Amino acid sequence: MRFLLTEEQAAFGRSLEAMLTAADTPSAVRAWAAGNAVPGNALWERLAGAGVFALAVPETYGGMGPLPVELAVACVAVGRHAVPGPVVETVAAAALLAGLAGQGEDGPAKRLLPALSSGGARATLTLPDGGPYALDADTATYLLTVRGDELRLAPGYGALHASADPARRLYRPEAGGELLASGPAVVTAAGYAADWAAFATAAQALGTGLALLDRTVAYVKQRTQFGTAVGGFQAVKHRLADTLIGLEFARPLLFGAALSMTTADVAAAKLTAGEAAYAAARTALQLHGAVGYTEELDLSLWLRKARPLRDAWGTPSHCRSRVLAGPVRDASPGGWRGALGRG
């Protein structure tokens, strides 16, 4: 299996990296956590201009996809730069609507997908028997809920709930709202959307872990003890090497999943990337010493994302069960029940 990106895919990744590096994303993340979405919205427009949200939308509805490899490249960059907002949820909503359209229910797709593809709208959602909270519902244009075999546009949302990551703003959707579709096709499309959500979260987790490692390596090179940089100590080198190996093991699993998009491969990528990112967070926290705990340090923005990303859209234990169950193309209707994390 070939895991190397094409020159076009690699160039796409480099352009996103350059764009986000120049965008001062830490300031946008802090503002987003405080309820000010203006800087985050500017980031969203830049991502939309780069075509990120068109990657999960079929060409029939104004998109360029579905293109899982390119989407993985984009979501790794999103994680590396801690971009706030319901990026994963918008991808999952696009998959949900496209999945419905693939089964003959194309009304919601015709209505909602073009705006999602262009970045003119964003979406968040909850799926059956998953976590009860919709990420960033206060900034989403469409708040979709799937309960039983019904897909609805929720009429609103409740109070903000606390999250381990303040930039992941959680809301419980209100019941009812406009019925968009119902029947077995909704259940099947919801399982398909859960797979895409897990896949995009795996890529975001890998980017988060890489950012934590990069920042930690830079820190141990400049912090000195006994007259030498602490990064020169063998114990520190081993800890960083173990972190790097964990992340690099996750990378081929992610792009392998992009090529197959089977449930088992997506679960393996989600499990490995989530655990590697969480391990990178523990390494970063330890090697930064006491300053690692401080919120003033930008490192905290990534530290607080690692665990929610590990558990969102498929806990580690559930991902293991899906891997053992073997490859299934598209999610089975009840495949993700009870295992979607709160985030």
Side-chain angles (χ1 to χ4, degrees):
M1 185 175 290
R2 177 183 173 86
F3 291 116
L4 291 177
L5 300 176
T6 65
E7 179 53 36
E8 290 79 8
Q9 291 164 341
F12 176 57
R14 289 194 297 270
S15 68
L16 288 178
E17 285 287 334
M19 181 184 72
L20 293 172
T21 298
D24 188 19
T25 54
S27 296
V29 177
R30 294 184 190 281
W32 193 274
N36 176 11
V38 173
N41 289 340
L43 274 178
W44 192 277
E45 290 176 4
R46 293 185 182 190
L47 290 174
V52 169
F53 301 109
L55 299 174
V57 177
E59 294 181 9
T60 306
Y61 305 103
M64 298 186 292
L67 296 172
V69 174
E70 286 78 1
L71 185 64
V73 170
C75 287
V76 168
V78 165
R80 187 188 280 274
H81 293 275
V83 175
V87 175
V88 166
E89 286 66 26
T90 297
V91 168
L96 173 65
L97 297 170
L100 267 177
Q103 298 174 77
E105 295 273 359
D106 63 352
K110 288 180 178 177
R111 176 179 166 188
L112 305 182
L113 275 181
L116 293 180
S117 175
S118 68
R122 69 190 68 167
T124 189
L125 77 170
T126 60
L127 296 177
D129 300 326
Y133 301 105
L135 181 70
D136 296 317
D138 58 332
T139 66
T141 313
Y142 306 129
L143 173 50
L144 302 173
T145 63
V146 178
R147 290 173 178 163
D149 64 353
E150 291 185 345
L151 169 63
R152 292 180 180 271
L153 269 175
Y157 51 86
L160 174 66
H161 289 259
S163 169
D165 176 9
R168 292 177 62 84
R169 299 169 61 82
L170 304 175
Y171 297 87
R172 187 187 293 269
E174 294 177 355
E178 180 185 351
L179 180 65
L180 296 178
S182 63
V186 171
V187 179
T188 302
Y192 178 71
D195 264 2
W196 278 78
F199 172 71
T201 305
Q204 193 175 2
L206 177 59
T208 299
L210 292 170
L212 286 163
L213 179 61
D214 289 348
R215 287 173 175 270
T216 305
V217 169
Y219 181 75
V220 299
K221 284 182 177 177
Q222 58 88 23
R223 181 188 170 194
T224 59
Q225 194 170 39
F226 309 121
T228 185
V230 298
F233 299 143
Q234 192 171 39
V236 173
K237 289 181 178 177
H238 284 182
R239 187 72 190 266
L240 292 170
D242 288 343
T243 302
L244 175 62
I245 290 170
L247 292 167
E248 289 305 320
F249 276 177
R251 192 191 301 271
L253 289 176
L254 175 67
F255 286 101
L259 295 178
S260 73
M261 287 307 289
T262 63
T263 299
D265 285 351
V266 168
K270 174 66 173 60
L271 169 65
T272 309
E275 295 283 30
Y278 187 47
R282 296 200 304 271
T283 297
L285 186 62
Q286 179 184 11
L287 297 188
H288 275 78
V291 299
Y293 290 94
T294 57
E295 290 203 11
E296 291 77 9
L297 193 68
D298 284 347
L299 181 79
S300 66
L301 304 179
W302 285 268
L303 281 176
R304 302 183 76 162
K305 290 185 182 302
R307 185 160 186 170
L309 290 176
R310 185 195 68 171
D311 295 336
W313 298 111
T315 61
S317 62
H318 183 71
C319 287
R320 289 188 180 92
S321 71
R322 299 302 293 172
V323 172
L324 292 174
V328 176
R329 187 171 296 279
D330 297 352
S332 59
W336 292 84
R337 286 179 180 168
L340 303 179
R342 175 180 176 182

